[in-house]
């Protein structure tokens, strides 16, 4: 696998001394290739910095987010969010007290880690990050305020033009779903060095953010549609079981799908590659794992075959697609 080797320094959530982004590059197929033509590696609980003692299902560690992107070819991330009343903002970790260690303790820290890497990689295709809100029972007014707080942090770290939002995809169509018919996602030209964020939550979070499941106009974040192609906001779907036959239909519709190659360290501990192989063959665009580098005992790993670091999607990519054209080297 070829990845772009860069050195970045994350500067404590401050942009004062950052060199700023380089001009996005243009690839030879940028007027042909679209986001749903690719397949890339993702990580589950991407912030997870230390194994939790005595819990084999939490026995994995991830490198910092910028390092995953720069050296491991990771292009899809997942962050668990817990509201911190003392800061009026979100912390990022797995389980309170039991598994609290994170490479980026706050949402702002995590976004800066992504941003600094992105600035150094002008040819990267959009990265996708699932934001899983874990606040439990919250009143609708608080939900709205906390969603607004997430969007405020996004705009504090990223310029608006560096985010790829539902409105950018919707264009002149009535809904995001309508915009994906018949051609799927926009072509890659103009999308490099941009970031996509997805609200990976149901219940009141989805109801408030989508105005009862009907509207995402003006939102900075996509709503996870979980395989529901009829939802007006449908564009990105978490479908964690790679053996789920419905994945192929969602992929064929030009929507993006994230699935998982392993869970709870079961497959990695046994070097069982059946789920991984099914995920790669499914056409899902992001194959999430806890082991983008080899398991220390079994060697189990999820990397994109012939990726650079992403590859042409085995189900959707046009014949002219070449992995070297998906991301562009400076």
């Amino acid at each position: 696998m070829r990845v772009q080797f860069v050195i970045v320094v994350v500067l404590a959530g401050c942009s004062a001394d950052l060199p700023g982004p380089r001009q996005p590059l243009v690839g030879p197929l940028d007027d042909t290739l679209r986001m749903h033509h690719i397949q890339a590696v993702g990580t589950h609980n991407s912030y997870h910095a230390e194994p939790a003692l005595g819990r084999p299902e939490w026995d994995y560690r991830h490198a910092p987010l910028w390092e995953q992107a720069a050296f491991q070819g990771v292009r899809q991330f997942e962050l668990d969010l817990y509201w911190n009343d003392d800061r009026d903002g979100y912390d990022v970790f797995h389980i309170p007290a039991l598994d609290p260690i994170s490479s980026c303790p706050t949402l702002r820290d995590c976004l800066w880690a992504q941003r600094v890497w992105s600035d150094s990689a002008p040819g990267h295709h959009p990265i996708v990050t699932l934001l899983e809100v874990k606040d439990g029972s919250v009143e609708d007014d608080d939900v709205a305020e906390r969603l607004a707080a997430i969007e405020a942090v996004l705009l504090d770290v990223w310029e608006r033009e560096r985010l790829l939002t539902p409105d950018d995809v919707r264009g002149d169509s009535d809904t995001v779903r309508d915009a994906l018919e018949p051609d799927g996602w926009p072509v890659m030209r103009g999308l490099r060095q941009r970031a996509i964020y997805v609200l990976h939550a149901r219940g009141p979070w989805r109801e408030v953010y989508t105005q009862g499941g009907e509207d995402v106009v003006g939102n900075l974040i996509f709503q996870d549609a979980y395989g529901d192609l009829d939802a007006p906001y449908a564009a990105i779907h978490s479908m964690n079981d790679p053996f789920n036959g419905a994945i192929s239909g969602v992929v064929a519709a030009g929507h993006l799908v994230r699935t998982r190659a392993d869970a709870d360290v079961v497959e990695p501990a046994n070097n069982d590659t059946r789920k991984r192989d099914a995920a790669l063959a499914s056409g899902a665009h992001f194959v999430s794992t806890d082991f983008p580098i080899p398991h220390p005992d079994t060697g189990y790993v999820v990397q994109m075959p012939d990726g650079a670091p992403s590859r042409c999607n085995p189900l959707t990519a046009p014949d002219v697609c070449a992995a070297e054209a998906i991301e562009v080297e400076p």
Side-chain angles (χ1 to χ4, degrees):
M1 179 181 68
R2 176 172 62 88
V3 298
Q4 183 179 23
F5 286 84
V6 296
I7 299 176
V8 296
V9 179
V10 178
L11 299 176
C14 175
S15 62
D17 298 318
L18 293 179
R22 301 167 64 180
Q23 187 68 23
L25 300 178
V26 177
L29 297 176
D30 276 12
D31 291 321
T32 300
L33 294 182
R34 300 172 182 268
M35 272 296 290
H36 65 281
H37 291 155
I38 70 170
Q39 189 175 61
V41 172
T43 48
H44 162 254
N45 292 349
S46 307
Y47 54 84
H48 199 258
E50 295 291 340
L53 296 177
R55 298 297 294 264
E57 67 271 29
W58 300 342
D59 188 14
Y60 61 94
R61 73 175 71 215
H62 287 306
L65 303 190
W66 68 264
E67 187 173 333
Q68 293 179 46
F71 298 106
Q72 298 172 10
V74 174
R75 295 294 181 266
Q76 181 263 309
F77 304 87
E78 180 186 24
L79 306 176
D80 289 337
L81 307 184
Y82 291 86
W83 185 257
N84 185 327
D85 283 322
D86 293 336
R87 293 192 308 98
D88 286 334
Y90 274 105
D91 293 336
V92 175
F93 57 90
H94 188 208
I95 303 291
L98 297 177
D99 195 16
I101 306 301
S102 173
S103 68
C104 45
T106 72
L107 176 59
R108 186 182 303 272
D109 294 336
C110 296
L111 299 185
W112 271 114
Q114 295 178 319
R115 164 69 194 265
V116 175
W117 165 77
S118 177
D119 284 355
S120 73
H124 79 78
H125 66 70
I127 58 174
V128 173
T129 303
L130 304 183
L131 302 176
E132 184 170 0
V133 183
K134 293 196 168 183
D135 283 351
S137 178
V138 181
E139 297 295 329
D140 285 358
D141 288 346
D142 289 334
V143 167
E145 290 180 5
R146 294 181 187 187
L147 289 168
I150 293 174
E151 289 198 340
V153 175
L154 286 175
L155 288 178
D156 190 45
V157 173
W158 298 93
E159 295 87 354
R160 168 62 183 80
E161 60 269 20
R162 295 286 296 280
L163 297 172
L164 185 56
T165 73
D167 282 350
D168 295 329
V169 174
R170 184 176 60 84
D172 295 329
S173 299
D174 290 336
T175 67
V176 174
R177 179 196 59 203
D178 292 345
L180 297 181
E181 299 177 358
D183 297 323
W185 281 68
V187 295
M188 201 66 71
R189 182 179 291 272
L191 301 190
R192 297 192 182 278
Q193 274 198 313
R194 296 175 78 173
I196 297 169
Y197 292 90
V198 184
L199 182 61
H200 184 53
R202 294 182 169 96
W205 301 95
R206 176 173 58 188
E207 291 303 300
V208 170
Y209 201 57
T210 65
Q211 300 183 43
E214 295 300 324
D215 193 0
V216 291
V217 173
N219 291 359
L220 298 181
I221 307 170
F222 288 85
Q223 169 63 50
D224 198 326
Y226 299 101
D228 181 5
L229 286 173
D230 294 327
Y233 53 78
I236 302 176
H237 305 256
S238 294
M239 304 177 72
N240 289 336
D241 180 4
F243 298 107
N244 183 353
I247 289 177
S248 61
V250 179
V251 169
H255 295 223
L256 300 183
V257 175
R258 175 261 201 176
T259 195
R260 292 184 64 177
D262 46 76
D264 298 329
V265 197
V266 172
E267 292 81 13
N270 295 284
N271 198 21
D272 182 350
T273 63
R274 289 174 294 178
K275 285 182 67 174
R276 181 196 70 185
D277 296 345
L280 291 169
S282 73
H285 306 87
F286 300 101
V287 178
S288 180
T289 181
D290 290 324
F291 288 90
I293 59 173
H295 186 284
D297 297 325
T298 68
Y300 173 95
V301 67
V302 177
Q303 295 175 342
M304 202 49 54
D306 301 317
S310 304
R311 72 167 179 173
C312 302
N313 189 291
L315 297 190
T316 63
D319 292 340
V320 297
C321 182
E324 293 75 15
I326 295 174
E327 293 205 343
V328 186
E329 291 286 340

